[in-house]
Amino acid sequence: MTLNDFRTRWTGHEPGIQDVKQQYAVLVPLVEGPEGPSLLFEVRASTLVHQPGEVCFPGGRVEPGESPKDCALRETFEELAIPPGEVELIAPLDRLVQQGKFVMHPFLGIVSPAGMAAMTPSPAEVDSTFLVPVEWLLAHPPQVYSYELKPQVAPDFPYDSIGFPRGYRWRSGETTVPVYPWPDRPIWGLTGRIVRHLMEEMA
């Protein structure tokens, strides 16, 4: 191993988030609805193994060699049949990190009337879709709940070898869960956090 090996490995490196192995991307679809600019949401199919029946944006796991932006557009087409050419991508929104397990890349985009006309939800993945006017979201801030993240350290952790007592004060954390009370379809979790961030920036 030489110093030049480090130059070769790290020159031009784009930093990611350490220890996070999985990446996901979603489209945050804006459309012109009957009540003005609106967000398009999905309800996940009840037959899905993960998070059946939950409200979400179209998206999924980033495949090897795929950019998060391309993933968001691909998943939107697979789930809703909205062609990528009918989505005007405005900007990536702030990324979310889920407790060190994965990173989520949201992309704000405007779906054209032709894209909405082409929309055909895939029954295997999508139970239904619905629109929520932006004005409603701005007028109804979410109810925000929180829960504590407590470290649970294994009994065999080597306190003696690192020179610290068993009473070492590990850091805990907290996460928030915003809930928008849209009738019959509450918007919450990561989807709620994305919506809250977008609305706070637009208020």
Side-chain angles (χ1 to χ4, degrees):
M1 186 73 67
T2 68
L3 294 178
N4 198 51
D5 291 328
F6 285 87
R7 291 192 186 96
T8 301
R9 168 61 183 85
W10 294 102
T11 297
H13 173 71
E14 292 292 332
I17 299 174
Q18 195 172 111
D19 298 329
V20 170
K21 304 301 181 185
Q22 295 184 357
Q23 297 190 72
Y24 294 81
V26 296
L27 179 69
V28 182
L30 276 169
V31 306
E32 188 62 48
E35 300 178 57
S38 302
L39 286 176
L40 171 65
F41 294 91
E42 296 179 356
V43 178
R44 290 170 61 84
S46 60
T47 53
L48 292 173
V49 174
H50 300 292
Q51 301 168 311
E54 289 191 14
V55 171
C56 67
F57 290 123
R61 182 179 295 183
V62 179
E63 299 293 344
E66 182 179 48
S67 71
K69 176 186 71 174
D70 289 341
C71 170
L73 293 173
R74 173 183 59 77
E75 289 281 353
T76 299
F77 182 68
E78 291 178 1
E79 295 173 16
L80 299 177
I82 296 175
E86 298 300 333
V87 179
E88 175 195 350
L89 285 180
I90 299 175
L93 301 178
D94 288 356
R95 302 181 186 96
L96 296 91
V97 177
Q98 181 66 357
Q99 300 167 16
K101 294 182 178 180
F102 64 83
V103 61
M104 174 75 75
H105 303 264
F107 290 87
L108 182 64
I110 297 175
V111 180
S112 71
M116 289 299 291
M119 184 173 70
T120 307
S122 166
E125 298 190 71
V126 181
D127 175 80
S128 59
T129 64
F130 62 97
L131 298 178
V132 178
V134 168
E135 289 299 327
W136 187 93
L137 292 165
L138 289 171
H140 297 81
Q143 301 161 353
V144 180
Y145 303 88
S146 64
Y147 60 88
E148 189 176 3
L149 304 173
K150 297 182 178 180
Q152 294 185 343
V153 184
D156 62 349
F157 187 83
Y159 288 100
D160 293 340
S161 65
I162 65 171
F164 283 92
R166 289 192 170 271
Y168 182 80
R169 296 182 63 182
W170 294 90
R171 292 192 179 206
S172 61
E174 184 179 83
T175 191
T176 59
V177 184
V179 180
Y180 285 89
W182 183 251
D184 300 323
R185 296 296 187 190
I187 301 160
W188 66 287
L190 288 181
T191 304
R193 289 172 61 187
I194 294 170
V195 173
R196 178 180 61 176
H197 169 65
L198 180 60
M199 293 302 105
E200 287 175 349
E201 292 297 316
M202 296 302 296

